[in-house]
């Protein structure tokens, strides 16, 4: 049977109730007409006798508490690190980044005592972090979990990417080492 590929809009007539029952993105009104609730492709299923509207628009929800972000450190302060969020996801789904800048408060960096934020993050590092708080004036991130933290660090002396050697970060170029709050998934 020929597939009906007609585009429909909210309120578009799809079928009468006698022919098809409302399926996805459809409802029936008082007069027994099955009507679309969205923009999409009309799909009349001959087997289930359902009138559906296939919505192909990918809806991306905004980032919220519990989302995981990839961010780049832009400023290291005494009591926090400021980062620029590059991407966000939750349960494997992409999340929209509305405000690009976020903060990692010193108390949310590590489960261990943090003497200086500079021992945890440096400007230019890439970090993975969890969204802990979303308020109108900003986003707070948390990197205490073992898979959270720096996933790529750059040498503060020569700017080359650093590598893990026996559990600590060293620059393969100049030999400098500097501590970080490293993620368990540090990318070599
Ligand atoms: Zn170096």
């Amino acid at each position: 049977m020929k597939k009906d590929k007609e585009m429909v809009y909210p309120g578009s007539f799809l079928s009468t109730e006698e022919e098809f029952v409302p399926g996805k993105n459809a409802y029936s009104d008082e007069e027994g007409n099955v009507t679309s609730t969205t923009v999409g492709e009309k799909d009349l299923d001959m087997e289930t006798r359902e009138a559906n509207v296939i919505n192909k628009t990918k809806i991306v929800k905004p980032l919220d508490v519990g989302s995981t972000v990839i961010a780049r450190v832009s400023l290291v302060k005494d009591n926090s690190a400021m980062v620029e969020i590059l991407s966000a996801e939750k349960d494997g789904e992409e999340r929209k980044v509305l405000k690009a800048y976020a903060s990692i408060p010193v108390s949310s960096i590590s489960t261990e005592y943090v003497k200086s934020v500079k021992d945890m993050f440096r400007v230019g590092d890439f970090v993975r972090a969890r969204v802990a708080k979303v308020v109108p004036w900003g986003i707070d991130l948390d990197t205490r979990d073992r898979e959270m933290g720096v996933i790529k660090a750059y040498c503060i002396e020569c700017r080359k990417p650093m590598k893990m050697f026996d559990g600590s970060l060293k620059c393969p170029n100049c030999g400098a080492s500097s501590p970080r709050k490293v993620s368990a998934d540090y990318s070599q």
Side-chain angles (χ1 to χ4, degrees), residues 154-162 170-176:
Y154 293 88
C155 176
I156 53 170
E157 306 293 335
C158 72
R159 305 305 304 159
K160 291 278 191 293
M162 301 186 82
K170 275 201 178 65
C171 173
N173 187 52
C174 73

Side-chain angles (χ1 to χ4, degrees), residues 86-182:
L86 305 172
S87 66
E89 62 94 15
K90 192 176 187 180
D91 305 323
E93 265 178 44
E94 179 195 345
R95 291 299 180 114
K96 199 189 293 171
V97 177
L98 297 171
K99 288 195 179 73
Y101 287 91
S103 157
I104 311 173
V106 63
S107 58
S108 303
I109 293 175
S110 172
T111 51
E112 285 161 38
Y113 172 68
V114 177
K115 203 172 144 217
S116 166
V117 180
K118 279 192 169 66
D119 293 339
M120 301 285 126
F121 303 121
R122 293 288 185 146
V123 171
D125 287 352
F126 287 91
V127 298
R128 179 185 291 126
R130 187 160 287 133
V131 175
K133 198 158 76 180
V134 181
V135 287
W137 53 91
I139 297 166
D140 277 359
L141 303 176
D142 189 303
T143 58
R144 281 176 293 180
D145 285 353
R146 60 184 299 277
E147 69 271 25
M148 301 295 160
V150 175
I151 52 170
K152 190 154 194 161
Y154 293 88
C155 176
I156 53 170
E157 306 293 335
C158 72
R159 305 305 304 159
K160 291 278 191 293
M162 301 186 82
K163 286 188 186 299
M164 283 293 257
F165 294 98
D166 298 327
S168 62
L169 283 176
K170 275 201 178 65
C171 173
N173 187 52
C174 73
S177 67
S178 62
R180 295 290 203 283
K181 196 308 180 175
V182 178

Side-chain angles (χ1 to χ4, degrees), residues 44-84:
L44 299 177
D45 193 318
M46 299 302 168
E47 276 170 33
T48 62
R49 308 304 298 178
E50 276 181 346
N52 303 300
V53 178
I54 312 301
N55 186 314
K56 291 199 170 132
T57 325
K58 198 177 154 211
I59 298 163
V60 181
K61 289 185 252 178
L63 136 173
D64 60 3
V65 171
S67 298
T68 301
V69 303
I70 301 296
R72 194 159 198 196
V73 178
S74 51
L75 184 67
V76 176
K77 302 198 287 184
D78 288 341
N79 55 0
S80 66
M82 299 300 295
V83 302
E84 184 185 1

